[in-house]
Amino acid sequence: VQLQYEEGGSTDDGTHHRRRRLMEAHRAAEEFYHESLIASPDARAGRDFLRTRGFDSAAATRFGVGYAPRTGSALSAHLQQKGFAQDELVLAGLVGVSSRGPYDRFRGRLVWPIRDITGATVGFGARRIYDDDRIAAKYLNTAETPIYKKTSVLYGLDLAKKAISQSRRAVIVEGYTDVMACHLA
């Protein structure tokens, strides 16, 4: 793992403020997705998917697993009600814009928060759970953003860092549910 350091403190160009806003948007999105998984009748397919793989609601809560509603604008509307501007949500990689207007990047999928080493959510991984999903890819990830660089983040490292430092050993697995299963074991 290559460490990279960023200069701290405030900047004159607003970079620190922008980063903080993007991090806040991801935290709010994680809460929204998780609440949708727990409370939404539409998320039953997601709950069933987790259950068939041996994960209960406590495991979903521990790992922040959520559900992105199929509507295509639920997250965007929720975050805008919380005071986030559309351009912030687009920059964060949570919302896209087409000729028909803004849309949620993740729709009708289970979502896992991807966290940096400190445990702050910086992106999401989303798994297809419906056969009629218009996007054929099994997994979608947040695109590169000012706070999310795929080559700098390893899913679950925030949870494993203490054990890694104590044992001086790490086990790397491929999938989100594989990481969950290892931690739960």
Side-chain angles (χ1 to χ4, degrees):
V1 175
Q2 181 180 0
L3 295 178
Q4 295 178 351
Y5 296 93
E6 297 177 6
E7 291 186 31
S10 61
T11 60
D12 293 334
D13 64 359
T15 303
H16 181 71
H17 173 73
R18 180 182 70 180
R19 179 175 173 77
R20 186 173 50 77
R21 290 289 293 169
L22 298 181
M23 299 292 276
E24 288 172 6
H26 277 83
R27 183 192 49 74
E30 179 181 349
E31 290 172 0
F32 173 81
Y33 286 145
H34 185 67
E35 182 60 31
S36 294
L37 177 67
I38 301 302
S40 172
D42 295 335
R44 182 180 181 130
R47 293 189 297 269
D48 290 346
F49 174 90
L50 291 170
R51 193 173 11 265
T52 62
R53 283 154 179 80
F55 301 112
D56 59 13
S57 62
T61 298
R62 178 176 173 188
F63 293 93
V65 181
Y67 173 76
R70 295 181 94 175
T71 64
S73 61
L75 177 67
S76 176
H78 174 77
L79 293 177
Q80 286 183 1
Q81 283 180 329
K82 291 195 160 286
F84 292 98
Q86 181 179 313
D87 63 328
E88 289 177 309
L89 302 179
V90 171
L91 184 62
L94 297 168
V95 171
V97 179
S98 72
S99 60
R100 291 184 273 168
Y103 61 92
D104 295 348
R105 285 276 184 195
F106 305 118
R107 300 173 300 280
R109 289 180 175 244
L110 273 179
V111 292
W112 281 262
I114 299 173
R115 298 176 178 135
D116 66 14
I117 192 77
T118 69
T121 299
V122 294
F124 292 93
R127 189 193 194 285
R128 182 179 197 217
I129 54 174
Y130 296 109
D131 291 335
D132 66 348
D133 192 325
R134 293 188 310 196
I135 300 173
K138 186 175 181 181
Y139 286 97
L140 297 174
N141 292 317
T142 298
E144 298 267 325
T145 70
I147 63 170
Y148 177 67
K149 306 287 184 236
K150 290 181 185 185
T151 59
S152 301
V153 182
L154 182 63
Y155 179 73
L157 185 59
D158 60 307
L159 301 173
K161 66 184 178 188
K162 184 176 180 181
I164 291 170
S165 70
Q166 290 172 343
S167 69
R168 314 244 337 125
R169 189 172 28 174
V171 176
I172 308 294
V173 296
E174 184 177 3
Y176 302 115
T177 56
D178 296 333
V179 171
M180 291 172 68
C182 288
H183 280 283
L184 294 172

